[in-house]
Amino acid sequence: MGSSSSYTEDDFSTSAFDPSTFSVQELVKLAAQDFSIPQPFVRINQQPPSLSVTTPLPPTIDMSRLLLEDDHQNLELHKLHSTCQDWGIFQLVNHGVSSSLLEKLKHEVEEFYRLPLEEKLKYKIREGELEGYGRRMRADGKYDWVDTLNIITNPLHRRSPHLFPQLPPSLRSTMECYLSELQKLATKLIGFMGKALKIKEKEMMKLIDDGMQAVRMAYYPPCPQPESVMGLIPHSDMTVLTILHQLNGVDGLEVKKNGLWFPFNVNPDAFVVNVGDIFQIFSNGVYHSVEHKVTCNKERERITVTFNLSPNFEAEVGPSLSLINAENPPLFRRMGMEEYFKQFFTLKIYGKKYLDYMRIQPSENGD
């Protein structure tokens, strides 16, 4: 199977389908307009988005107001705090990352996805690994309608030598600049969130000191039957914080609120920031990670870059000691970050079930 000829029905038989060398982008490019969706990607009985127009979208947070040292900061800090409590996701404007850098990043990521399949497969996910180009099989045996490139970028000694260091030089250079900006932005944001929670700054910064950072480039090809596939299955992020940049203005993100799914329309000048499970645990349930998914577009591709921030592998995942006392007992168990990470991928559970797994049951408190 390669980029020089069209896919055939045989390519999707149980015996022939090889996810390590398969590209959804390539399939869409080479197939006829009315091609049928390969069975490994077909999902039925999806919950459609709510058509209600009365449900509000989460507030937009203005980073420039947070950086002021006056009443405007206090108002914005209160808005940030309530948004993380009620929604766990928000759009961040005036974030300080230059439009020229974002334009360059858009160009470089689009160029990567224009590379021949053989070039992209140099970065393919290797047996037993989580990083690389392609997609992993989900717990239900299905695949998402997306071609991703997942790379751990920090700590530096955890960078796989065949991935980030081997990216096309212009993409690697641009991505380094972008990741540097995002690391600074995430550190400031987490500082403000800690301030709103009244957590000691030293403890807040220790959570992410030389933390694990990863970048995920995602290309969601158009799909002739978008209701039959899923770009990304429902889940909450296992991270402290996730920052999404939607490169080409095509929406597809949906968030779950009060048991219903709602489309999330992204402001082209904003980043989408969401609270991860680790932050919900660290805040002892004050903040909430958001369950979200990605749907596909019938006519247009969607391209995104996601920055994920988690604690260092030597750190411990658990409620903040600043928030725990006799009146506020811990709601979540404590676990080493490396163990937390391994358990997540071993259990293969999605939605918000891993967070439930981390929750202390009444019997564990002796009640």
Side-chain angles (χ1 to χ4, degrees), residues 297-310:
N297 190 288
K298 194 168 185 176
E299 278 91 29
R300 296 187 62 194
E301 75 266 26
R302 177 175 184 258
I303 309 174
T304 62
V305 174
T306 308
F307 172 82
N308 298 301
L309 181 61
S310 299

Side-chain angles (χ1 to χ4, degrees), residues 15-26:
S15 58
F17 177 66
D18 182 1
S20 69
T21 59
F22 183 80
S23 162
V24 188
Q25 179 187 6
E26 214 62 24

Side-chain angles (χ1 to χ4, degrees), residues 196-257:
L197 287 163
K198 297 180 170 57
I199 294 175
K200 294 169 185 170
E201 185 180 4
K202 188 176 178 183
E203 186 186 2
M204 200 73 239
M205 290 302 110
K206 188 180 176 185
L207 178 70
I208 57 167
D209 181 39
D210 199 25
M212 191 171 78
Q213 296 169 21
V215 66
R216 178 182 187 268
M217 290 164 37
Y219 182 100
Y220 302 91
C223 181
Q225 300 149 42
E227 67 287 344
S228 300
V229 301
M230 201 170 282
L232 190 58
I233 61 168
H235 70 289
S236 57
D237 294 340
M238 61 177 291
T239 59
V240 172
L241 206 68
T242 300
I243 303 178
L244 169 84
H245 176 41
Q246 189 167 272
L247 266 66
N248 66 336
V250 177
D251 286 323
L253 180 64
E254 292 185 8
V255 298
K256 198 172 192 179
K257 178 74 167 166

Side-chain angles (χ1 to χ4, degrees), residues 34-165:
D34 57 350
F35 71 92
S36 58
I37 307 298
Q39 276 307 309
F41 296 88
V42 174
R43 282 194 170 95
I44 55 174
N45 301 324
Q46 293 183 46
Q47 187 179 355
S50 169
L51 298 177
S52 167
V53 292
T54 57
T55 300
L57 284 171
T60 295
I61 304 299
D62 189 332
M63 191 70 186
S64 65
R65 289 169 69 94
L66 281 175
L67 294 169
L68 297 170
E69 294 187 7
D70 58 12
D71 288 343
H72 290 297
Q73 184 198 60
N74 293 332
L75 287 168
E76 205 68 16
L77 195 63
H78 175 74
K79 186 161 72 162
L80 173 66
H81 185 59
S82 60
T83 303
C84 291
Q85 287 177 298
D86 298 340
W87 283 91
I89 188 169
F90 55 90
Q91 302 200 58
L92 185 71
V93 295
N94 296 320
H95 43 66
V97 181
S98 73
S99 56
S100 59
L101 176 56
L102 295 179
E103 199 55 47
K104 183 129 179 44
L105 180 70
K106 176 178 184 288
H107 172 76
E108 294 299 340
V109 173
E110 287 177 341
E111 285 299 301
F112 175 82
Y113 281 106
R114 287 193 189 106
L115 289 172
L117 180 58
E118 287 80 2
E119 286 295 308
K120 288 178 287 200
L121 287 177
K122 289 178 182 176
Y123 312 100
K124 75 177 183 179
I125 300 171
R126 295 180 177 181
E127 186 71 34
E129 294 187 6
L130 301 170
E131 296 177 84
Y133 171 81
R135 75 214 53 75
R136 294 192 316 275
M137 186 172 72
R138 300 300 188 178
D140 61 359
K142 297 289 187 177
Y143 294 88
D144 297 341
W145 191 261
V146 65
D147 292 338
T148 66
L149 179 63
N150 290 288
I151 302 178
I152 292 174
T153 56
N154 198 71
L156 295 180
H157 69 268
R158 285 192 176 267
R159 288 189 176 183
S160 297
H162 69 286
L163 292 176
F164 198 88

